[in-house]
Amino acid sequence: MKFRVAREVLADAVAWTARSLPPRPSVPVLAGILLEVDGNQLSVSGFDYEVSARAEVDVQATESGRALVPGRLLAEITRALPPHPVEITAEGPRLALVCGNARFSLPTLPVEDYPSLPSMPSSAGLVDSDVFAEAVGQVAVAAGRDDTLPMLTGVRLEIEDDLITLAATDRYRLAVREFAWRPETPGVSAAVLVPARTLAEAAKTLTSGPEIVLSLSSGSSGEGILGLSGKDRQTTTRLLDAEFVKYRAIMPNDSNSHASLPVGLFTDAAKRVALVAERGTPLRCEFTPGQVTLHAGGSDEEGQAEERCDVEFDGEPLTIGFNPTFLLDGLAAVHTERARIDFTSPLKPAVLSGVEEPAADDGKPAGPAERTGSYRYLIMPVRLPG
Amino acid sequence: MEAMRREASVLHLDLDAFFAAVEQRDKPSLRGRPVVVGGVGGRGVVATASYEARAYGARSAMSTAEARRRCPSGTAFLGGRFAAYRRTSDVVMALLRELSPLVEPASMDEAYVDLAADSGHDLSVAGVTELGRRLKDRIAEATGGVTGSVGIGTSKLMAKIGSDLQKPDGLVVVPPGSELDVLHPLPVTRLGGVGPATAERLHQIGVKTVGDLAARSLADLVALAGKAHGAGLYALARAEDDRAVVPDRGVKSVSHEETFERDLTDLDVLNREIDSMAARVAERLRASAFSGRTVTLKLRRYDFTTLTRSQTLPQPTDDGRTIAAIARRLLSDAGTQGGLRLLGVGISGLSVYAQGDLFAEDLLTGEPEPLPDVVTAVDAPEPEPEVDLPAERRWWPGQDVRHEELGAGWVWGRGLGRVTVRFEGPLTPPGKVRTLSADDPLLHATDPPDWRTTG
C-alpha cells in the first residue's frame, strides 16, 4: 500500500472515523483504524461491533493494499501535521508517514484479526441532511444516560410513509420531532430504537452533502442495524433491542393555559435565576397575565434570586416548578425566536414548542402541535412544597 | 453552645409501654393481661412488652421466640399496628406543642420540650411539678388511657433520667442544684452513649455508678473510650449537658425492612417483597411530603453477613415503582446465593421537591394508580413470602377487621383455613371470640378504631 493525499482531507477523514472508536476496546484490534486503498480511493474505517464508520477520500495511489493503524495515535498525528501533502507507505509490519520534513514510522495491528464491517443495508430513503441534523439534535437532548434502562438511552425513529417521527425521553422530559423525507417505497412503515449518542454524533457530522441515505435492516435477519450515508461518509449502528415507551399516550391533548415568550430573553433570565438553584431544587415560575416571575433558592442557607420577564399568558395564573436544566435544554432546542408553553396543571407535563415567525399569518389555526415538522418538548414539573 | 440552664426547664416525656398500651386500649379483653407487640413470625423481635408481660421477663429487642418461652399461655402476641400508634402519638405531640414551640420528638413515644421557650410558664420547682401533673392528666384523657412518665430538669440528660426514675406513670422533677445527687448513685448504663461494650470496659476498671465515673480523670476516659466519647462521658458524669431542644429534627431517610420466617432465595419472591416495601416507603415519603434521591437496599444473608447497596438517582422521586426498580436491580447485582433472611428498602437524600416522572402516574386520567393489593393488605410487620397466599395468610394477630354482620374486632389467631376474631373495640366491654373461615367474604381488613367518643 502506497499513496499520496492532501493533509486536510486525510486529517478530516481520520478524525471523523476516530470519533467512533471505543474508548476502552474489548479487543486490541478494535482500537485500530483500517486504511484500505483500492484504485485511487482510500477508505478509512473503524468498528467496535456496535458502531461502524467509514470515510472515503480520493488519493493518488501507486499501490493498493491495507493496514490497521492505532487509531487515536493516527488521529493525533494527522491533526498535527504541517500543511503539505502526506505520503503513506506500508513497510512490512510498520507504516511510514511522511509530510514535509516530518517523518513517522508507526507499528500496525494484525489486519487479519480485524472484523469485517457490516455491509450497508439497502436504502430506505433520503433525508435532507440539515433537517436530519437539527431534528436529531432536538430530540437526543431528552434521552437518558443511565444505560441500566436501555429504552431511555435511545431515540425512537418511526417511519410512516413520507413522515419520520423521532422521540426520546429520560422519563423527566420527552422530545418529539416530525419531518418529511423521501422513502424508497411509498407507504413504508417501520419503527426502531437507535442509541441516542451515536445517532446525534452521526447526524451532526454528516452535513457536508445535501442529503443522507437512510438504510435499515430489521432484526429478523440477525441484528438490526441503521445505516446513514452522507457524502463520502457512512456509518452504521446497531439498534437497541428494547421496547420504547408508549409516549403518545402521555402527550397532553389540550391545555388549560399557555404562555408565549421570547426565547432569548426568557432563557437569559432563567439562566441568571438558576445560578442560585442548588442541585435538585427547582426554578419556580409564576405565570400571570403579561409576565412570568422566576424564583430560585429560598431557604435561609441558600441564595435567592428573582426576575420578571414579559410574556403573553392566557389562562388562570399558575405557579409551576421546573428543573432548570430541563427547561433550558428545551428552550435551546426549539430554534425559534418565540416559544409557546402549554400547561394543564402544576403537576402535569408542560409542553414547549416553537412558534414560527411571522405570527401575523391570518387564518392559520393555532396549535403548533398540528404542523408537520413540528417540535414538542414535554417537561414533567417539579412538585413544589406546600 | 448555650449556657447551662439555671432552671428546670427541659421536660422529657416517655409514654409507658406505648405500643402495648395502645393495644390494651383498643382491645379491652387484653387490659391487665400480658401483651407483646412485635414480629410474630419465627424470627420476630419484641418491639414492646406490656408491664404485665415484663413481669415474666419479656423485654423489647428480645426475640419473640424467647418471649413466648417466658410468658404464660394466654399472652397476646400481636403484630404492630403502626397507623394506630401514629394517630395516638400525634395527639400526644400536639399536647406538647401547646406547652412550647420547641418540641423535639425522639421517636413516636418520646419527646423533649423546652419550657423556657414559652414565657408563660412558672419555672420554679413547684410550677413545673404542677405543669407535669396536668400534662400527664391531659395525655391520659386525650389518648383514652395511655400513660406517660415525665422528667423535668435543667438539661436533656436530667429530664430523661427523671422520666425513667419512676416508670410507669411517673413524674420526677430534678431541682436545679441536685443533679449530681440524683445522677451519681445510678449505674453508668443509664447515661446515653454507654452501651454494653463501653459498660463492660468501664466495669473492668471498677466503674459501676455514674459517681465512679465522675471520679475518673478526663485522660483516663479518653484513653478508655476515645477522644470524643471519653470527653462526652466526662461531661455527662458531671451533669454538664447544654444540648438544645431542636424541634423537628427532620427525617433523614425513610426505610422499611422485613425479616423472613425462613431464608429466601427465589428472586421472584424477593422482588415481590421489594415492590411491597418500596410502595410502603413511597407512601410514607408522600405522607411526609418528601422525595428522595438515594435508594438503598439492605440484605442479610443466611450466615448473618449484612450488606447495603445504594444508587443515587439524577432526580428526587417519591414513586414506589421507581424505587422498586432500582432496589430490584441492586438485589440482582448483589445476588441471593445461600438465601436471605432479611431485606430492606430505604431512601435518603430527602428533599421537599419531587421531580415528576412522566411514566409514574396515569397521566390520562390524572388519578394516581392505586397501589397494588399486596401493599394495602399488609399492615403487618411481616408479610408472608409465599407466592400463593393461603386465605388465612391475609390475617395476622392484632389486625383490625370488620365483619359485615358481626361488626368490628381484631384477629386473635389464624390457622387451618380459619381465623379467630374477637369482636370488641376501645369503647366496648370485652367481646366474644368467633372462629370464621379465613376466606369469609364478609370479613375485611379495616382502619384502626377511634378511641374518642364522638361529640
Side-chain angles (χ1 to χ4, degrees), chain A residues 20 23 39 69 79 82 131 190 194 200 206 211 251 292-293 301 342 346 385-386:
Chain A
S20 54
V69 195
R79 190 170 53 223
V131 170
V194 193
L206 288 175
E211 287 173 333
M251 305 283 295
V292 57
T293 311
E301 307 95 74
D342 283 275

Side-chain angles (χ1 to χ4, degrees), chain A residues 171 249 279 323 380-383, chain B residues 318 354-358 364:
Chain A
R171 82 187 310 143
R279 195 187 165 102
N323 174 310
M380 196 65 190
V382 172
R383 190 191 61 209
Chain B
D318 61 2
Q355 169 64 54
D357 185 329
L358 285 166
L364 294 174

Side-chain angles (χ1 to χ4, degrees), chain A residues 252-271:
Chain A
N253 293 320
D254 45 27
S255 68
N256 293 332
S257 55
H258 68 264
S260 164
L261 43 87
V263 173
L265 292 173
F266 183 74
T267 299
D268 290 347
K271 278 184 181 162

Side-chain angles (χ1 to χ4, degrees), chain A residues 56-357:
Chain A
E56 285 172 353
V57 296
D58 291 331
V59 296
Q60 294 162 264
T62 46
E63 196 185 326
S64 292
R66 53 196 210 133
L68 187 62
V69 195
R72 300 213 177 276
L73 184 58
L74 184 65
E76 279 169 32
I77 291 170
T78 52
R79 190 170 53 223
L81 289 175
H84 298 291
V86 185
E87 199 166 283
I88 289 179
T89 315
E91 292 173 341
R94 299 185 78 81
L95 188 83
L97 187 153
V98 180
C99 176
N101 295 330
R103 311 176 69 86
F104 292 87
S105 170
L106 304 176
T108 60
L109 297 160
V111 71
E112 57 280 8
D113 293 350
Y114 197 69
S116 46
L117 267 61
S119 54
M120 190 55 81
S122 55
S123 162
L126 291 172
V127 291
D128 182 290
S129 64
D130 290 330
V131 170
F132 190 65
E134 181 190 43
V136 169
Q138 285 178 314
V139 170
V141 68
R145 283 175 190 87
D146 176 4
D147 54 15
T148 48
L149 269 177
M151 179 263 276
L152 301 183
T153 64
V155 169
R156 161 97 162 177
L157 187 154
E158 293 173 1
I159 296 170
E160 210 55 64
D161 193 18
D162 59 357
L163 191 68
I164 287 182
T165 307
L166 299 180
T169 177
D170 63 0
R171 82 187 310 143
Y172 308 121
R173 55 250 171 94
L174 164 72
V176 180
R177 166 74 199 261
E178 296 170 343
F179 58 92
W181 77 314
R182 296 188 294 287
E184 199 83 16
T185 323
V188 64
S189 171
V192 295
L193 193 60
V194 193
R197 232 184 293 182
T198 316
L199 182 65
E201 189 70 25
K204 201 167 62 187
T205 56
L206 288 175
T207 51
S208 52
E211 287 173 333
I212 295 175
V213 178
L214 206 149
S215 36
L216 267 180
S217 78
S218 65
S220 58
S221 58
E223 311 263 63
I225 61 172
L226 170 76
L228 298 170
S229 315
K231 181 174 168 287
D232 300 330
R233 286 175 186 181
Q234 53 188 41
T235 175
T236 65
T237 176
R238 199 148 86 168
L239 299 173
L240 290 170
D241 185 20
E243 279 291 304
F244 196 67
V245 64
K246 305 254 180 302
Y247 67 93
R248 289 180 207 276
I250 58 174
M251 305 283 295
N253 293 320
D254 45 27
S255 68
N256 293 332
S257 55
H258 68 264
S260 164
L261 43 87
V263 173
L265 292 173
F266 183 74
T267 299
D268 290 347
K271 278 184 181 162
R272 275 190 291 270
V273 173
L275 291 174
V276 300
E278 296 193 359
R279 195 187 165 102
T281 69
L283 191 66
R284 184 193 299 259
C285 309
E286 279 176 42
F287 286 93
T288 50
Q291 70 179 38
V292 57
T293 311
L294 305 174
H295 304 266
S299 82
D300 292 343
E301 307 95 74
E302 301 164 11
Q304 294 174 25
E306 180 183 312
E307 183 163 344
R308 263 197 342 259
C309 180
D310 292 336
V311 300
E312 291 164 31
F313 180 75
D314 189 3
E316 287 293 303
L318 167 111
T319 299
I320 189 165
F322 291 115
N323 174 310
T325 308
F326 296 169
L327 182 63
L328 290 168
D329 280 349
L331 289 166
V334 292
H335 300 165
T336 52
E337 287 189 13
R338 289 190 78 79
R340 173 181 163 127
I341 310 183
D342 283 275
F343 304 100
T344 314
S345 85
L347 295 177
K348 298 281 175 57
V351 185
L352 180 65
S353 53
V355 177
E356 294 294 343
E357 306 286 341

Side-chain angles (χ1 to χ4, degrees), chain B residues 190-205:
Chain B
R190 289 288 192 82
L191 295 178
V194 180
T198 309
E200 175 61 30
R201 260 178 289 161
L202 288 171
H203 203 93
Q204 281 168 4
I205 59 164

